[in-house]
Amino acid sequence: MTALRFDPIRLPPECEELRKEVRAFLAEEIAAGTFNPFQPLREDADAREFSRRVGERGWIGMTWPKKYGGHERSFLERYVVTEEMRVANAPVRRFFVADRQSGPILLRYAPEHIKMDILPRICRGELCFAIGMSEPNSGSDLFAAKTRATKTEGGWLINGTKIWTTSAHMADYMIAIFRTSPATKENRRHGLTQFLVNMKTPGIKVNPIGQITGQKEFNEVVFTDAFVPDDHQLGEIDGAWKQATSELAYERSGPERFLETYYVLTELVRAVGSDPDTRSAEGIGRLVAQLHTMRRMSVSVAGMLQAGKEPVVEASIVKDIGTVWEQQLPHRVRDLAAFVEADAGNRETLENQLTFAIRTAPKLTIQGGTTEVLRGIIARGLGLR
Amino acid sequence: MAATEGRDRVARGRNDDRAGQPEGPDHSEHGTLSGRARGVPFARPAKHIAVVAHGPDGVSIALVETTRLRIDAGLNLANDPSDTVTFDNVAPSACRPAPDGFDATTVMLMGGVVRGLQIAGALDQLLAISVRYAGERVAFEKPIGKFQAVQHNLARLAGESAAASAAATSAADAIAHADAFDEAVFLEAVSAKIRCAEAAEKGAAIAHQVHGAIGFTTEHILHRFSLRALAWRDDFGVESHWAVELGKRVAARGADELWPLVASR
């Protein structure tokens, strides 16, 4: 069992300049009415233009090669942009998946002409990506996926259904895994291949699914003889199982994994005022201590990514702890807000936010890898499996 | 803070008040110390105690020979010496004014971080011992570490160990690089205090659960780490006290300053 390390990485001075720029940008956007930071539930109608403006500032594809439209900046700088956007509740959904994981996959596995076409457009904030992994009969058991890719002239025909596909209704592209061969006795993970799918392809039907928060963020995506050309294959045929690991380190450990309900903590502090009672003070102190600790762990993982490592176990720990915390946060805040004056200035805002956050909470330990799967990964890292 | 060589040990006189209010010895006009400190670790075997004292001229740091003191022996949760030390107009061997900005709170914060590091070390050991045990102990015809429930418990223990380590090393790093004990250092030190205490509670419970009955014996080494991790929470102020202090400071700064403070670290 290798010892787990979370070195006390500090963000370098250039990050603080960048942070000021991001805050100033967000303040302008808020003043211009692009989004309301106090309202985490929104339609994202203007996010298309917001995404382009973020791209213009150079904040999408920050760590990618300049050759592809990226900016060759560090993971730590990207970390700063991500956390400031999350805390402000900025409408990042349109470009976030492309920036966080789809782009990096294309960088590693796509043919050159695809990279030259798509990556610069992601960096300009022009593209929205979805991830096609889960199916009606397989979510956590990723390698039980059944949606078939059947070989045909010049490419593949896709038949089957993906589900819980966030943003598929507005995505330009999807990166999906399809079954190109049956699994083998020796390796049950064999047989899946990763592909880039153009969402305008005929034969793709996207059906929105209503969520208990009132949003319709995810979808069922039905493929009927949808054609994917050969040059849209990403990585080895039947070899997607080898490609999943690094993707998970990217996906699992960022600040978005503990900041999704953070806004209720800010509003609680506002609601209790500058001279809180002992109960409120203690509750806030504990929550801030937990938040600070998770952030230090998350920054440490970003530092490890910057150093070229693949901290799969550490990233899984951060996501496990982070998502459980952000899930419990609205309930803790609700408890602490119980004795706040009914006429506190932001009481209505806090109530609305708590309603949304509590409805959101169940998904937090499910999306992007369930707690149970994460703990299995950690256990493997401890040498138990 | 505490030398570790045999009996020639310097132990720090701690607070009288478990809630962490510095009420240690006062430095009277005649240059003597009076007061009481409770929960002083290993006062009995020590030859000297270092003390933070308050007097008319401010804060001093004094060195006192233990032969001049009344020491009432006690034991803490882990059965380690935790003594009550009474100073009755005692002349110190040496006494100097404390540096600017250095007072009992400074010592409490630093001590809390030291205990945080100790707790993190104990949790590291609890994890290693528990993983090894889970691989060796057979039940239902396989090592208990093959059961998902046990694997997930150990994964949670790993998480608590990691969190304690991250919090404590971050705080130690912050203190090592700080010019003064400002709001940022306060956040780091108190976060370590609180988070390590939480990790001690959760981590110790999981380690014992994995071990079953054998971990509950004095013969097994487990308690030397689990009960110490829990006992160390009580030194240098309990976490509830520090949580209140942190919460008050956060509230006084205002809601919109919370994120900038957290992000500054």
Side-chain angles (χ1 to χ4, degrees):
Chain A
M1 176 184 118
T2 341
L4 296 164
R5 289 178 62 128
F6 286 84
D7 292 336
I9 306 288
R10 299 286 172 193
L11 299 173
E14 56 268 24
C15 286
E16 293 320 305
E17 275 315 302
L18 174 59
R19 189 187 298 281
K20 288 190 191 128
E21 289 170 29
V22 177
R23 285 186 185 166
F25 169 79
L26 291 171
E28 281 167 28
E29 292 286 337
I30 290 165
T34 306
F35 67 97
N36 178 351
F38 299 104
Q39 200 183 308
L41 170 64
R42 73 175 77 82
E43 288 309 313
D44 271 339
D46 290 331
R48 202 183 276 274
E49 291 312 311
F50 175 78
S51 304
R52 277 187 227 269
R53 290 194 291 274
V54 174
E56 261 164 43
R57 299 300 296 260
W59 295 335
I60 303 177
M62 287 175 74
T63 60
W64 307 347
K66 289 185 179 163
K67 167 181 182 194
Y68 301 116
H71 305 279
E72 294 175 9
R73 297 183 82 164
S74 73
F75 279 94
L76 298 177
E77 289 172 293
R78 180 177 179 278
Y79 191 94
V80 168
V81 174
T82 306
E83 67 178 351
E84 289 296 327
M85 294 247 174
R86 287 291 165 162
V87 164
N89 287 320
V92 302
R93 206 176 72 214
R94 180 169 285 273
F95 61 82
F96 193 68
V97 163
D99 179 59
R100 183 180 62 187
Q101 59 205 91
S102 312
I105 293 171
L106 294 174
L107 267 170
R108 277 181 85 157
Y109 299 111
E112 189 66 16
H113 66 280
I114 298 277
K115 293 201 276 203
M116 292 299 290
D117 171 23
I118 293 186
L119 293 172
R121 290 157 64 201
I122 295 177
C123 292
R124 288 197 295 269
E126 291 169 9
L127 294 181
C128 177
F129 268 71
I131 309 170
M133 287 195 173
S134 292
E135 298 182 358
N137 288 323
S138 59
S140 291
D141 190 4
L142 176 64
F143 296 102
K146 287 209 201 55
T147 303
R148 286 174 326 282
T150 311
K151 196 73 194 64
T152 187
E153 179 81 36
W156 304 79
L157 288 176
I158 311 300
N159 283 282
T161 308
K162 293 291 182 187
I163 202 168
W164 322 133
T165 325
T166 304
S167 301
H169 58 291
M170 60 183 189
D172 301 290
Y173 290 95
M174 176 191 293
I175 293 185
I177 52 161
F178 300 129
R179 182 161 291 288
T180 39
S181 301
T184 63
K185 235 181 1 181
E186 299 77 34
N187 185 2
R188 74 177 294 271
R189 296 183 290 168
H190 173 87
L192 296 173
T193 308
Q194 218 166 18
F195 286 92
L196 173 69
V197 178
N198 186 327
M199 292 300 285
K200 294 194 185 64
T201 303
I204 302 179
K205 177 117 196 339
V206 178
N207 302 315
I209 300 174
Q211 298 165 304
I212 62 177
T213 50
Q215 297 163 297
K216 285 186 157 96
E217 287 192 312
F218 59 20
N219 305 270
E220 174 192 57
V221 182
V222 183
F223 298 86
T224 311
D225 284 340
F227 176 74
V228 175
D230 280 325
D231 68 353
H232 280 43
Q233 171 190 327
L234 302 173
E236 261 174 62
I237 294 290
D238 297 338
W241 63 276
K242 296 183 215 164
Q243 292 160 210
T245 318
S246 49
E247 187 175 336
L248 302 177
Y250 290 122
E251 187 187 338
R252 290 202 157 143
S253 64
E256 71 277 11
R257 291 308 184 189
F258 55 89
L259 291 175
E260 191 153 348
T261 58
Y262 171 76
Y263 47 88
V264 299
L265 180 57
T266 311
E267 292 316 306
L268 174 69
V269 175
R270 204 184 313 281
V272 304
S274 60
D275 187 22
D277 63 16
T278 301
R279 176 181 183 265
S280 305
E282 180 179 357
I284 288 168
R286 285 183 182 273
L287 291 170
V288 171
Q290 292 155 4
L291 170 68
H292 164 79
T293 302
M294 286 182 306
R295 184 175 172 278
R296 297 298 296 130
M297 294 170 81
S298 181
V299 169
S300 188
V301 171
M304 290 187 236
L305 287 172
Q306 180 64 28
K309 301 183 188 159
E310 272 188 13
V312 174
V313 178
E314 289 83 352
S316 299
I317 286 177
V318 172
K319 185 173 187 286
D320 183 6
I321 290 179
T323 52
V324 168
W325 186 84
E326 65 180 5
Q327 183 175 70
Q328 294 177 347
L329 181 64
H331 301 287
R332 299 290 73 77
V333 167
R334 174 181 171 275
D335 288 342
L336 291 170
F339 300 106
V340 165
E341 301 286 316
D343 58 0
N346 68 331
R347 184 82 215 190
E348 194 185 328
T349 302
L350 179 57
E351 287 302 327
N352 291 338
Q353 289 185 351
L354 280 172
T355 298
F356 181 68
I358 291 172
R359 287 178 185 159
T360 300
K363 78 165 189 179
L364 300 168
T365 50
I366 296 170
Q367 66 182 6
T370 63
T371 305
E372 290 74 14
V373 164
L374 294 172
R375 290 177 183 173
I377 292 171
I378 298 164
R380 183 174 292 116
L382 294 172
L384 294 163
R385 296 166 65 133
Chain B
M1 299 266 314
T4 54
E5 308 287 309
R7 298 173 72 77
D8 195 14
R9 188 189 289 246
V10 176
R12 198 216 145 260
R14 207 185 58 114
N15 295 332
D16 183 56
D17 180 346
R18 296 288 274 199
Q21 297 308 309
E23 290 294 341
D26 286 333
H27 200 180
S28 82
E29 289 170 21
H30 304 289
T32 60
L33 304 174
S34 292
R36 175 170 292 144
R38 297 188 202 282
V40 181
F42 296 92
R44 270 168 281 156
K47 283 195 172 163
H48 296 89
I49 293 186
V51 182
V52 176
H54 303 266
D57 297 327
V59 183
S60 311
I61 300 176
L63 192 67
V64 183
E65 286 167 18
T66 51
T67 49
R68 295 169 181 260
L69 300 170
R70 183 174 124 205
I71 298 179
D72 294 304
L75 293 177
N76 71 7
L77 175 64
N79 289 325
D80 283 329
S82 180
D83 308 324
T84 300
V85 180
T86 306
F87 302 75
D88 189 3
N89 282 313
V90 175
S93 319
C95 189
R96 300 272 186 280
D100 268 341
F102 188 101
D103 59 9
T105 300
T106 317
V107 174
M108 298 288 282
L109 289 172
M110 289 171 69
V113 173
V114 170
R115 289 294 186 261
L117 289 162
Q118 289 174 277
I119 289 171
L123 284 167
D124 221 31
Q125 284 302 306
L126 287 169
L127 178 63
I129 293 168
S130 301
V131 168
R132 185 164 65 240
Y133 184 76
E136 292 169 353
R137 177 66 178 177
V138 172
F140 303 100
E141 288 147 30
K142 53 188 179 187
I144 61 169
K146 295 296 179 196
F147 290 97
Q148 192 182 60
V150 175
Q151 288 179 359
H152 285 197
N153 278 344
L154 288 168
R156 286 194 300 124
L157 173 53
E160 291 306 302
S161 168
S165 181
T169 55
S170 182
D173 174 75
I175 290 173
H177 291 100
D179 294 322
F181 273 66
D182 56 14
E183 294 281 90
V185 172
F186 190 86
L187 170 67
E188 293 261 9
V190 169
S191 294
K193 194 46 156 106
I194 293 169
R195 191 59 184 85
C196 291
E198 289 177 359
E201 180 195 334
K202 292 182 184 156
I206 293 169
H208 276 284
Q209 191 68 14
V210 169
H211 279 80
I214 204 164
F216 199 68
T217 66
T218 51
E219 284 178 57
H220 195 286
I221 203 174
L222 200 67
H223 69 99
R224 301 229 183 261
F225 298 100
S226 62
L227 292 183
R228 283 196 172 122
L230 294 168
W232 287 330
R233 297 180 305 172
D234 293 332
D235 293 338
F236 302 105
V238 296
E239 59 274 23
S240 287
H241 160 75
W242 290 111
V244 169
E245 290 303 307
L246 178 58
K248 282 183 178 168
R249 289 191 189 205
V250 164
R253 287 169 63 99
D256 295 326
E257 290 305 311
L258 170 56
W259 177 251
L261 174 62
V262 171
S264 73
R265 305 314 303 152

